[in-house]
Amino acid sequence: KWINFFYQNYPDEIRKKIKSGICLDAGCGGTVKGVKLINKFKPAKVFACDINKDHKAFYLKENNVNFVCCDIASLVFQNDYFDFILCNGVAHHTPNPWRSIGELCRVLKPCGMIHVSVYCFKNSVFYYLVLFLRMLAKLVPFRLAKLLARNNFSLNVLLDHAYVPIEFIYTKKDFMNGIKKLGISVDCVLNVAESHRGDKYVGFLVKNEKLFFGDGAILSFIGHKNITSNI
């Protein structure tokens, strides 16, 4: 659903940049979904980078992918190299998200397109629940919490928020202002939660997202690097 949502909803400008362009999945992790999405548009070359070298194994079977082990806050690529960069749910888990996004801007070509997804549920019901869970996590060992959650998807989502070492959370307005200062003009904001609107269990939360998650559990900011950017 994640791949199909963005494949269907990406603006034409992104489609043009990816097609025959040089692309990066920054902080790719081990899911391979970012690379699979990019490859649907037939790019010239795809790089996937992650700080965990073990994730390379997940990309060996993917076509047209070069895996590079590096921190997104200190990328090994030259300035103005990529036509398109995807950074899905990663920047807000780094020690300095604006430095990390600044690095993405550095390696992005002027007028190149970028897709950055971050948590935007600050000051919502879920935000205060997460604050409570993170305090509780200091008292409850992760292994015990994981044992109790077992394979329940919803509980494991909560565990992710409770135990992840670093987590920054924004409002839509705050993040848009911040990315603008880095020389990125936001062209549109997509909410992947819309792809779950018809789901039996998650649908209720999606339909009432504003009530539970403020601006959104996670929002995807789609924009381009200004020609006059100082990054």
Side-chain angles (χ1 to χ4, degrees):
K1 282 190 175 182
W2 186 93
I3 293 173
N4 288 337
F5 175 81
F6 289 110
Y7 182 70
Q8 294 168 7
N9 290 282
Y10 265 168
D12 289 339
E13 291 79 5
I14 279 190
R15 297 171 181 272
K16 293 175 183 177
K17 288 291 181 182
I18 298 178
K19 189 175 181 180
S20 301
I22 303 175
C23 306
L24 172 67
D25 182 3
C28 58
T31 67
V32 198
K33 65 182 183 180
V35 163
K36 287 183 179 294
L37 169 64
I38 293 170
N39 272 333
K40 286 175 73 72
F41 295 98
K42 310 298 183 184
K45 187 181 294 186
V46 183
F47 289 87
C49 75
D50 198 89
I51 198 170
N52 188 340
K53 64 181 180 181
D54 294 337
H55 285 160
K56 180 178 181 178
F58 295 100
Y59 294 84
L60 295 178
K61 296 181 179 180
E62 294 298 317
N63 295 325
N64 193 34
V65 179
N66 300 279
F67 180 89
V68 178
C69 182
C70 68
D71 187 346
I72 69 167
S74 185
L75 294 170
V76 297
F77 306 103
Q78 65 189 46
N79 295 352
D80 305 334
Y81 185 68
F82 292 102
D83 297 286
F84 172 72
I85 295 176
L86 167 67
C87 185
N88 179 57
V90 180
H92 53 222
H93 291 310
T94 62
N96 188 333
W98 297 120
R99 174 183 172 180
S100 298
I101 299 171
E103 266 292 271
L104 299 179
C105 294
R106 177 184 67 78
V107 301
L108 183 65
K109 293 179 181 178
C111 297
M113 301 291 296
I114 188 169
H115 166 176
V116 182
S117 297
V118 294
Y119 295 138
C120 287
F121 56 84
K122 192 171 183 179
N123 299 328
S124 67
V125 173
F126 189 65
Y127 173 74
Y128 292 107
L129 173 61
V130 167
L131 292 183
F132 171 74
L133 290 175
R134 292 184 73 80
M135 288 190 292
L136 192 63
K138 295 178 181 179
L139 304 175
V140 181
F142 173 74
R143 289 188 178 183
L144 175 58
K146 182 66 176 175
L147 180 65
L148 295 173
R150 297 188 179 182
N151 293 322
N152 184 285
F153 175 77
S154 298
L155 291 179
N156 276 280
V157 169
L158 294 179
L159 288 189
D160 185 36
H161 286 286
Y163 289 93
V164 67
I166 301 170
E167 181 165 290
F168 287 87
I169 304 167
Y170 304 91
T171 63
K172 180 180 178 180
K173 181 180 179 181
D174 287 345
F175 191 80
M176 288 190 72
N177 288 338
I179 201 171
K180 182 178 179 180
K181 292 178 181 178
L182 293 175
I184 298 294
S185 292
V186 177
D187 300 310
C188 69
V189 180
L190 298 178
N191 187 349
V192 72
E194 290 298 320
S195 65
H196 294 279
R197 184 172 286 274
D199 289 5
K200 184 176 180 180
Y201 298 107
V202 184
F204 173 78
L205 294 175
V206 175
K207 292 173 184 177
N208 297 278
E209 186 173 23
K210 191 69 178 177
L211 174 63
F212 294 110
F213 299 100
D215 290 328
I218 189 166
L219 295 180
S220 296
F221 295 82
I222 313 294
H224 65 274
K225 179 177 175 180
N226 299 324
I227 296 177
T228 56
S229 173
N230 294 320
I231 299 295

